[in-house]
Amino acid sequence: MEPLITLKDIGRKYVIGTEVIHALKSVSLTINKGEFVALMGPSGSGKSTLMNILGCLDTPSKGEYILNGINVSHMTDNELAEVRNTEIGFVFQTFNLLPRNTALDNVALPLIYAGVSKEKRQERAKTSLENVGLGNRITHKPNELSGGQRQRVAVARALINNPSIILADEPTGNLDTKTSIEIMGLMEDIHAKGNTIILVTHEEDIALHAHRIVRMRDGLVENDFANTNIQRVQRQGIPEFKD
Ligand SMILES: Nc1ncnc2c1ncn2[C@@H]1O[C@H](COP(=O)(O)OP(=O)(O)OP(=O)(O)O)[C@@H](O)[C@H]1O
Ligand SMILES: [Mg+2]
């Protein structure tokens, strides 16, 4: 089987004046469809830089990136945008929701770029919100939702296009412990449905929900292990938020 992601000798350097920062020195990695990977490592080790490349928000200074059979290493911004829209769902630490829009409109947003009709957009966004347990919050705006609910909206948005990978950079970074566990439970459900997830976290107990842990240091992969100590969230389905 061809891997979903193949990185070969990926480097990313930033030039600021006379200083050159090698944020990624040489990263080679393969990730198969259906994997749940946690990316760990100290601050400044290159995790977000790598996630930006994986998410086609940035291109490497050297090396090859093959995503779902497509070589995306040398694409133009427009070509990358197209790949992003079809292949990738993002979840961010700060949720990145549009503050004046309802949960439904936030979730439906990626479908506008995909050229889906308004009626179909609303229908699919509603289903996606129901799938994360927010069927009764669709008309709420972000400031009318809790932190965990906001992140659920972001997860529903990430899933709306049936992307081939979900990229989550510190998705629980702004959440309390209980809510973090709830979001990890949601990630487990999504993974169980066959999705591929790559998640950055600083917290060991969050990383233990993943099946594979890749640790970075100084722009290199320091180690890459299967997680034999997987922690499962104890729960009965996704809790509904009843009024
Ligand atoms: N746009 C940029 N311009 C210059 N240097 C950058 C830029 N983005 C990141 N860097 C540098 O690249 C290195 C890797 O940064 P990166 O953001 O990937 O780290 P990280 O592992 O995500 O850290 P954290 O855990 O703090 O989020 C750091 O030394 C950082 O200062
Ligand atoms: Mg980072």
Side-chain angles (χ1 to χ4, degrees), residues 12-16 21-24 40-52 58 93 169-170 200-202 216 219:
R12 177 68 167 97
K13 61 183 178 191
Y14 295 107
V15 181
I16 300 177
I21 297 159
H22 292 274
L24 296 176
M40 300 197 75
S43 181
S45 57
K47 303 179 298 296
S48 294
T49 304
L50 183 59
M51 290 292 268
N52 288 342
D58 188 21
Q93 178 173 3
D169 197 345
E170 301 256 8
V200 171
T201 182
H202 277 109
M216 299 192 59

Side-chain angles (χ1 to χ4, degrees), residues 84-86 88 110-111 114 116 124 156-163:
R84 268 201 309 276
N85 285 339
T86 53
I88 295 154
L111 297 177
V116 177
R124 276 172 62 184
R157 180 184 56 189
L159 287 168
I160 192 95
N161 269 344
N162 298 315

Side-chain angles (χ1 to χ4, degrees), residues 71-92:
N71 190 334
V72 295
S73 341
H74 313 289
M75 283 187 166
T76 63
D77 287 351
N78 283 342
E79 290 169 329
L80 285 175
E82 178 68 29
V83 173
R84 268 201 309 276
N85 285 339
T86 53
E87 304 283 345
I88 295 154
F90 293 98
V91 180
F92 302 95

Side-chain angles (χ1 to χ4, degrees), residues 36 188 207-212 226-232:
F36 186 175
E188 284 173 21
L208 286 174
H209 293 274
H211 292 221
R212 175 176 169 190
N227 174 20
T228 52
N229 186 23
I230 296 168
Q231 312 253 304
R232 289 275 156 256

